[in-house]
Amino acid sequence: VTGFEARRLVRTKQHRGPTAELAPGFVQANLVAVPAADAGDFRLLCARNPVPCPLLDETAPGTVTSSLASGSDLRTDLPAYRLWRDGDLVDRLDDAREIWRDDLVAFLIGCSYTFEWALTEAGLPSRHARCGLNVPMYRTNVPLAPAGRLHGHMVVSMRPYPESEIDRVRAVTRPFVEAHGEPFAWGDPGQLGIRDQSQPEEGDAVPFEPGEVAVFWGCGVTPQVVAVESRLPYVITHEPGHMFVTDRRHEDLRRAELD
Amino acid sequence: VTGFEARRLVRTKQHRGPTAELAPGFVQANLVAVPAADAGDFRLLCARNPVPCPLLDETAPGTVTSSLASGSDLRTDLPAYRLWRDGDLVDRLDDAREIWRDDLVAFLIGCSYTFEWALTEAGLPSRHARCGLNVPMYRTNVPLAPAGRLHGHMVVSMRPYPESEIDRVRAVTRPFVEAHGEPFAWGDPGQLGIRDQSQPEEGDAVPFEPGEVAVFWGCGVTPQVVAVESRLPYVITHEPGHMFVTDRRHEDLRRAELD
């Protein structure tokens, strides 16, 4: 299906659950909606931390349509939402119309599904996809550059690859700068302060095969940790894995000069 | 003097030494020149790490004039240069004409003198400036986002301020996004892996007064650590504190919407 059709399936509840397999070829995005009073800080957070938070779109206050997706409604076109108040996760919903406020500004952030599509095209599919799992995500000890009232630590997603393939994995994902780009780190999870790889904070642990090492990418769930650490008063996000499907194609995000 | 006059004074050796007091009001820049083969990686390094490496200008290969400075010659208009080969600092010179290669691409990176000018205007001058010292710079344990063959750790500059002034120091420096912007961290130097504040890797240690805490900003010396850690074959940089003076005014770098 196309991005447009995918959004209709989600809006009418014909599709529930993760969006990984929905509308292959179309860019998906992380959602972060904050009151206009916090929007300037959030925009600056993205500018200062573009690896976890590559900004694809920002709405005007009170607008619920993204310029990346015709006829879209950000309150209904994602399968699952989270509501955060004062740093606490207080609600999970499959429709955000009742919690959306007129002063909210929505930010859309690039998603790993884009580079996973490229990895699959290159014959390097992700383990979690082949196992039918969600990608494992870990909170790290890597500090973000703060922006006004916003601060926190980076979240990474992890995919195992044979050590011999890391150069190719890096090269395939490098051109997708607006979708986290090349890996942030690989090898020892301790270098990022990750103590137990079998206990991801989000998503599912995945099995390793002999000779494989962990490869870590910046992750668009990072703003959810920022919401907690900064004790933001009011934030709506997607549920990890349950993304906003746009009309853009993955190829549109490839920077040819980095191939 | 103007930026133009400052460059003439440097070129004719009428000015030697640090450029901090030269041409007040004019933007100064860090220099990093690499062979064209490494330029794509360096451009990406800046894009992925804009807090330590805010890119102001990039020359075409073989060009020695910056678009930020009329009639400039990057080989002669800085008071002191460093030459790095395979990760080693192999030479220090006051003229780069003999070591400049036709395939070099020069990158100019924003410098803390811009936000120090703003801090002084706001009645918050830096300790090192009042003491006639160079700003202290420290290598941290904060990993950069790698870019192709380039990787390394962030360098920060440090200025002591009373804890009660930190909000104002942050606000004054925040709008200067292309000159490292607001601080990266403050308080305990251990959070950045800095063990001994009295032993900066570059510049001079500065005295603290009672009630003051260390405030750390991203620093444009970071690419020199990248040159070492990545064992780059050939890099020319400035000597810390000995910058390239441009024709741009500090005010031009202020983003009014962040005031």
Side-chain angles (χ1 to χ4, degrees):
Chain A
V1 301
T2 65
F4 186 89
E5 290 163 341
R7 292 193 298 280
R8 195 191 51 197
L9 291 173
V10 170
R11 193 182 309 169
T12 57
K13 312 292 184 210
Q14 293 174 269
H15 178 91
R16 295 172 182 271
T19 51
E21 304 296 313
L22 199 60
F26 288 88
V27 170
Q28 302 196 18
N30 300 271
L31 170 69
V32 186
V34 298
D38 293 324
D41 285 351
F42 192 80
R43 190 183 308 120
L44 182 60
L45 184 85
C46 293
R48 282 164 65 88
N49 301 278
V51 172
C53 304
L55 189 56
L56 295 177
D57 193 26
E58 175 186 342
T59 64
T63 305
V64 296
T65 297
S66 164
S67 64
L68 303 176
S70 75
S72 58
D73 187 331
L74 292 163
R75 303 168 304 175
T76 57
D77 292 357
L78 290 81
Y81 297 86
R82 290 176 168 185
L83 175 62
W84 309 78
R85 281 182 187 270
D86 301 318
D88 295 320
L89 174 58
V90 295
D91 210 353
R92 301 174 120 118
L93 311 94
D94 64 3
D95 183 317
R97 278 178 292 185
E98 293 214 345
I99 57 170
W100 205 273
R101 297 180 359 184
D102 283 348
D103 65 338
L104 290 185
V105 173
F107 295 88
L108 295 175
I109 289 169
C111 163
S112 61
Y113 292 165
T114 291
F115 70 70
E116 288 190 356
W117 165 86
L119 286 166
T120 301
E121 295 275 303
L124 294 162
S126 295
R127 174 70 29 80
H128 66 272
R130 286 189 284 160
C131 297
L133 299 169
N134 283 333
V135 69
M137 292 163 261
Y138 303 88
R139 185 183 181 283
T140 71
N141 64 3
V142 178
L144 301 174
R149 73 176 293 171
L150 304 182
H151 57 91
H153 291 80
M154 184 160 48
V155 176
V156 292
S157 62
M158 190 280 288
R159 294 156 191 81
Y161 279 100
E163 186 136 31
S164 59
E165 294 284 21
I166 288 180
D167 282 352
R168 207 152 69 91
V169 165
R170 295 184 68 204
V172 167
T173 56
R174 184 169 301 131
F176 296 93
V177 175
E178 287 176 286
H180 310 302
E182 68 180 89
F184 186 81
W186 52 93
D188 176 21
Q191 71 183 301
L192 301 176
I194 299 168
R195 289 189 193 157
D196 184 354
Q197 220 156 229
S198 71
Q199 300 286 333
E201 275 83 22
E202 304 277 358
D204 305 309
V206 295
F208 280 68
E209 292 179 0
E212 288 184 335
V213 299
V215 185
F216 300 99
W217 278 265
C219 178
V221 172
T222 299
Q224 302 190 21
V225 167
V226 171
V228 173
E229 292 195 48
S230 309
R231 303 199 70 69
L232 280 180
Y234 201 89
V235 186
I236 298 172
T237 70
H238 68 292
E239 186 79 28
H242 301 65
M243 318 302 287
F244 178 69
V245 187
T246 75
D247 294 336
R248 289 181 77 175
R249 300 273 188 171
H250 295 308
E251 295 99 331
D252 300 340
L253 295 195
R254 172 183 271 138
R255 295 212 193 150
E257 80 274 15
L258 295 175
D259 263 328
Chain B
V1 303
T2 65
F4 186 90
E5 290 163 341
R7 292 192 298 279
R8 196 191 49 198
L9 291 172
V10 170
R11 193 182 308 168
T12 57
K13 312 290 184 211
Q14 295 174 270
H15 178 91
R16 294 171 182 272
T19 51
E21 304 296 314
L22 199 60
F26 287 87
V27 170
Q28 302 196 18
N30 301 272
L31 170 70
V32 186
V34 298
D38 292 324
D41 285 351
F42 192 80
R43 190 183 308 121
L44 183 60
L45 184 84
C46 293
R48 282 165 63 88
N49 301 279
V51 172
C53 303
L55 189 56
L56 294 178
D57 194 25
E58 175 186 343
T59 65
T63 306
V64 296
T65 299
S66 164
S67 64
L68 304 177
S70 75
S72 58
D73 187 331
L74 291 163
R75 303 168 304 176
T76 56
D77 292 358
L78 289 82
Y81 297 86
R82 291 176 167 184
L83 174 62
W84 309 78
R85 282 182 187 269
D86 301 320
D88 295 320
L89 175 59
V90 295
D91 210 353
R92 301 174 120 119
L93 312 95
D94 64 4
D95 183 316
R97 279 176 292 185
E98 294 215 342
I99 57 170
W100 204 273
R101 297 180 0 183
D102 284 346
D103 66 338
L104 290 185
V105 173
F107 295 88
L108 294 174
I109 290 169
C111 163
S112 61
Y113 292 165
T114 291
F115 70 71
E116 288 190 355
W117 165 86
L119 285 167
T120 301
E121 295 274 303
L124 294 162
S126 295
R127 173 68 32 78
H128 65 272
R130 286 189 285 161
C131 296
L133 299 169
N134 283 333
V135 68
M137 292 162 263
Y138 303 89
R139 185 183 180 282
T140 72
N141 64 2
V142 178
L144 302 175
R149 74 176 294 172
L150 305 181
H151 57 92
H153 291 80
M154 183 160 50
V155 175
V156 292
S157 62
M158 190 281 289
R159 294 156 190 82
Y161 280 102
E163 186 137 29
S164 59
E165 294 284 21
I166 288 179
D167 282 352
R168 206 151 70 91
V169 166
R170 296 183 69 204
V172 167
T173 55
R174 184 169 301 131
F176 296 93
V177 174
E178 287 176 286
H180 310 302
E182 67 181 90
F184 186 80
W186 51 93
D188 175 22
Q191 69 182 303
L192 301 177
I194 299 167
R195 289 190 195 157
D196 185 353
Q197 221 156 228
S198 72
Q199 299 288 332
E201 273 84 22
E202 303 279 357
D204 305 310
V206 295
F208 280 67
E209 292 179 0
E212 288 186 335
V213 298
V215 184
F216 300 99
W217 277 265
C219 179
V221 172
T222 299
Q224 301 190 22
V225 166
V226 170
V228 173
E229 293 194 47
S230 308
R231 304 198 68 70
L232 280 179
Y234 201 89
V235 186
I236 298 173
T237 71
H238 67 293
E239 187 78 30
H242 301 65
M243 319 302 288
F244 178 69
V245 187
T246 76
D247 294 336
R248 289 181 76 176
R249 299 274 186 168
H250 295 307
E251 294 99 333
D252 300 340
L253 294 195
R254 171 182 271 138
R255 294 211 193 151
E257 79 276 14
L258 294 176
D259 263 329

